[in-house]
Amino acid sequence: MQFPSLQLAGSEFWIAALLALGVAAGILALVHFANNQVKRAVIVGCAFLAGLFYFLEFFIPPDLKSEEVIVLRWNLTQTGSIIGNAAQVIAGFTFLLGIYNLVHIHGNIIRRLRGGWINSVAFFAAFLAMVVFAFWRDWQNWFDPLYPNYITPGKPEFIDPKGATFASQVADKLWAPLWVNDIVKDHKPRQDVYTLLFEGVYRNMDATMFSILAFYIVSAAYRAFRIRTREAAVLMITAVIVMLGQVPLGQFLTNWIPADGFFHGLRLEEINQFVLGQINSPVQRAIGFGIGLGGLAMALRIWLSLERGSYFEEGS
Amino acid sequence: MQSRTGARWEEFLGRLDRRLVSLGLVLFTLPPLVGKWVLPLTASSPSRALQAAVEAIPPEKLVFISSDWDAGTQAESRPQLTAIVRHLLKQKRKFVLFSVNSPTGPQIAQTTVEKAIKEEDLTEEQWKYGRDWANLGYKVANTPWIRTLSRSIQEAMKEDWQNTPISELEILKGVDRWGPDGQVAMLIDVTGSATIEYWYAYLTPTKVKLGLACTGVMAPEQYPYLDSGQLSGMLTGMKGAAEYFELIGAPSPELRVTMAGQSFAHLYIVLLILLGNVPIFLGWWQRRQR
Amino acid sequence: MERSSAPQSFLASLPVRELSIAAGLVAAAAIVGLTVGAGYWKTTEYWQTFIFGRVLVFGLTALVLSHILHARRGGPVFVRRIPGLTAVDETVGRATEMGRPITFSLGLGGLDIITLQALAVALHVIRTAIRFGTRVIVTLADSTMYAVADEAVRESYAAAGRPESYNVEDVRFLSDRQFAYASSAMGLILRERVASNYMFGRFFAESLILAEAGNQVGAIQVAGTPIITQIPFFIAACDYTIIGDEYYAATAYLTREPVLSGSLVGQDRSKMFLIAVMGLGVLLATAAMLTGGLPVGEAPSGLGAVLDGFSRLFTEAK
């Protein structure tokens, strides 16, 4: 079953899209009005089929030439990528759901003037600023994909390379000023509001949150390593050795031991490497095996719908 | 039973404002950074192993560098890539870059490499793009593509980052297979995420040597692969980069100072840990006295 | 992790019937794969990785599957105590006493087994909390997962006979950007001064940010993640941390469903098999070394060649 590479254009495309929507709505309605037993059967069946598909795709040896998995002329790899695209579309819709959730919560806080409502105002301001300037910047390209994405200084500010098509006329009407969409060729970075918000604000706030970690590691470490028990003492001594062995200062402390002498193993960096290689590494491996097998078992349980009590069916 | 002094200590530590603890970190780290202190640095065995692996590559063979980092981990990844590239330049080993993690990876790698070439006092003509090195750009690493790559480089890499067909790149003429029987002797992954897992899974069977330069947090997880020989060597975070610069005889003054700063940060944590344990030490000591 | 309830020999405890059914199924799948696959098996590359890529993974799957099938008709299985999960009552009780909410962070993961397992634990905590009328705020960084979690939590309230108590604001999508999520979740923990804080799922650098926020407000903290690099941070900052395969044992432990516990038995038997393989490898390597069959940098001979062949069996699949 090879999917034909169908190219729909104009009204055909819209009819196909509407048909697909209609079918989807029909299936949804059927599932909605079905009784629980039918629903359960549908869910279990879908989960099993979907799992089986990926199981086969993974285990069947791929075609030597294309590296794609083909069973009885059905190209599983290609189908897999179509399913992947469909999942992306669904994720797009759930994103709207997520945004609704955010707007709902923050809207409520402002409406009832709950404590900290000013933060919610900040949320809306930031959210709208990003949305407006991101869309405004790029919208000429929606109407006219050939809209130039740069201009050279000295030339007329707005040029239309393909002549005035309808689309470019629309794009012309909706034209964004340079401070919204900076397309001057030599400007690196672009000098527009979106770039300011993304590069100037968002990136730095992101980096700030990341660097807060350094401070948190300090406070967490000094609380965690209290030697109340013997095990804690071992843990603390190991931590101190590794922390010092990782940096020049620690290495400096045992630099007087000759690096090629009999006692070189006592240098801090050597002990550090021993801890990482001979103690840490087997533990990592053991945990890794456990997690791998646990994941395998969990995947089987989800695939065969055995995890029932865990999600929807408590009490039934 | 805890002593009274011990209890007072506990109370003091409990009340210690965490902002003061953080301020202490800043105050401790600042002097070495401002005063540009330098401490002697000893290279760890994984870094030395990477250097040895690179130097053992036959001169006619290529090195591939998978440059999978972007702005997020640049503090660690950029000096790592610079150090590795400068080593390759010193050794006159030709190399090819590509990225599978981030679409912005090729640009950031390109500027880093161009700068490294300048730092080695080589002109554009002496170390020419297309003849001595290339940047194949961002590739979407799905399983079929990686499988193809492991089998045939020509099939997987169609064009470079500026869409030049690889047939026009002299360096890639006849370059198709990995490992001892092929034309590529080593792949070094400079990464800020788990991309090395692809190469463990799909390139290990080709027997190509694998090298890794990862962030500090990722390193402990990679030691099993060093043990098993799947990794020929590894650079750990900024420290790995600093060590590599020392190893190749081109110490970086900047990194030396940063490492001194990091040393003092670690020292500060060790001191705080000891401080936190003062009540417990006091308790022991007083029990001894009695 | 487990121990069969009845004292019996290891061999007798193997579910022979189910094992053969599962092995049959898996073998059938393998045969189908070989017959319809596109001639790949005619190459040496395929056979070089045959044991690891096909037989071993199939074998482990069959082992786990057989124990799941076996457990469906078998009795209960003993699962040892997992401290972080026994703490559920303690955390809910504390929150109820203090009149403060509980936060449950599902991490950065999307719709995958890691986050689904985290959601299962979250639902267990929520079901316990509903009985005491305590609020649990679930935070997420993935919108697909948000849709699933919202529905599942709503269902939990309905199943407990209190659909009206469900508050839309208790399942929150915060942001799909890592640090935006972290700062938002951190703010929530600090503002609500939560009594207990759970972190289950896929965590990266934000793990410690969340755990330290919980620590600042003195919350009891329980964390679990299969991301090995983050486990040390959780251990340093949390009261209870679930490590390694305990993470996937959580639902079996919480629900005591025989089928789920059965899969744990399968998992443990698979682990024993892997340990045996490792033991054999170590013995072989030692013997090869002692008999001088393992010279460094040369072609192995004698026992060294046997060891080489043995380790080839476990080379990763192509």
Side-chain angles (χ1 to χ4, degrees), chain B residues 150-187:
Chain B
S150 70
R151 197 170 40 79
S152 161
I153 294 167
Q154 292 283 336
E155 259 182 62
M157 305 283 193
K158 295 270 190 272
E159 43 200 23
D160 82 346
W161 76 303
Q162 304 280 41
N163 304 330
T164 314
I166 60 166
S167 54
E168 289 172 26
L169 299 173
E170 199 188 324
I171 184 175
L172 283 164
K173 289 255 157 70
V175 173
D176 194 41
R177 294 187 79 86
W178 305 88
D181 314 324
Q183 299 77 32
V184 182
M186 186 168 189
L187 178 120

Side-chain angles (χ1 to χ4, degrees), chain C:
Chain C
M1 186 136 304
E2 51 72 39
R3 190 175 69 210
S4 297
S5 49
Q8 47 186 340
S9 84
F10 173 71
L11 275 180
S13 74
L14 277 177
V16 179
R17 206 182 66 148
E18 285 82 3
L19 199 56
S20 39
I21 295 175
L25 279 175
V26 167
I31 290 166
V32 170
L34 278 179
T35 1
V36 298
Y40 195 82
W41 73 94
K42 285 178 194 150
T43 68
T44 45
E45 275 170 327
Y46 178 75
W47 293 103
Q48 269 172 10
T49 60
F50 180 72
I51 298 287
F52 184 87
R54 309 289 185 265
V55 178
L56 188 64
V57 180
F58 274 162
L60 292 180
T61 309
L63 201 60
V64 175
L65 200 59
S66 64
H67 282 87
I68 291 176
L69 292 173
H70 180 67
R72 292 186 78 133
R73 58 184 183 105
V77 175
F78 171 81
V79 182
R80 76 156 165 80
R81 217 170 75 89
I82 301 177
L85 298 174
T86 36
V88 171
D89 290 335
E90 182 193 344
T91 54
V92 174
R94 187 164 182 267
T96 312
E97 262 172 40
M98 298 172 83
R100 292 192 201 153
I102 298 172
T103 39
F104 201 117
S105 167
L106 291 181
L108 298 183
L111 189 58
D112 58 13
I113 53 168
I114 296 177
T115 320
L116 279 174
Q117 181 74 348
L119 178 64
V121 178
L123 291 173
H124 181 81
V125 175
I126 289 170
R127 282 168 199 153
T128 314
I130 290 174
R131 277 188 266 143
F132 298 97
T134 299
R135 244 179 111 192
V136 180
I137 305 172
V138 180
T139 62
L140 295 123
D142 182 86
S143 53
T144 315
M145 204 54 217
Y146 163 74
V148 176
D150 181 59
E151 195 58 35
V153 173
R154 198 186 291 269
E155 191 96 357
S156 292
Y157 275 89
R162 293 195 196 164
E164 75 291 345
S165 308
Y166 175 69
N167 183 350
V168 190
E169 296 186 10
D170 286 352
V171 180
R172 295 192 191 185
F173 166 77
L174 298 180
S175 169
D176 66 339
R177 307 277 95 195
Q178 181 182 18
F179 289 112
Y181 171 78
S183 61
S184 190
M186 183 185 169
L188 185 73
I189 291 169
L190 294 177
R191 274 194 305 277
E192 299 277 350
R193 301 194 62 75
V194 299
S196 317
N197 179 32
Y198 280 83
M199 289 157 288
F200 273 74
R202 212 183 258 278
F203 286 91
F204 299 95
E206 73 287 356
S207 62
L208 191 64
I209 296 180
L210 299 183
E212 277 297 288
N215 201 283
Q216 278 182 40
V217 295
I220 299 191
Q221 305 205 85
V222 187
T225 179
I227 308 297
I228 301 178
T229 46
Q230 300 307 322
I231 293 174
F233 295 115
F234 279 145
I235 291 179
C238 297
D239 300 278
Y240 302 98
T241 306
I242 280 159
I243 300 171
D245 44 350
E246 283 178 346
Y247 184 81
Y248 291 112
T251 45
Y253 182 79
L254 292 172
T255 60
R256 309 276 164 170
E257 279 264 337
V259 172
L260 302 185
S261 319
S263 83
L264 292 190
V265 183
Q267 237 167 286
D268 276 12
R269 295 259 158 92
S270 308
K271 223 190 268 181
M272 283 179 208
F273 170 75
L274 290 180
I275 291 172
V277 169
M278 271 185 260
L280 198 59
V282 170
L283 280 180
L284 256 174
T286 314
M289 199 89 92
L290 290 177
T291 55
L294 204 66
V296 179
E298 287 172 45
S301 60
L303 273 178
V306 179
L307 174 73
D308 195 49
F310 181 72
S311 51
R312 255 172 223 273
L313 293 182
F314 300 99
T315 305
E316 196 117 20
K318 230 182 111 121

Side-chain angles (χ1 to χ4, degrees), chain A residues 209-235:
Chain A
M209 280 309 286
F210 188 42
S211 36
I212 280 182
L213 258 184
F215 297 101
Y216 281 178
I217 284 172
V218 173
S219 52
Y222 111 91
R223 267 186 294 101
F225 295 113
R226 298 282 175 87
I227 40 175
R228 298 219 166 84
T229 59
R230 221 165 271 164
E231 290 89 341
V234 174
L235 203 66

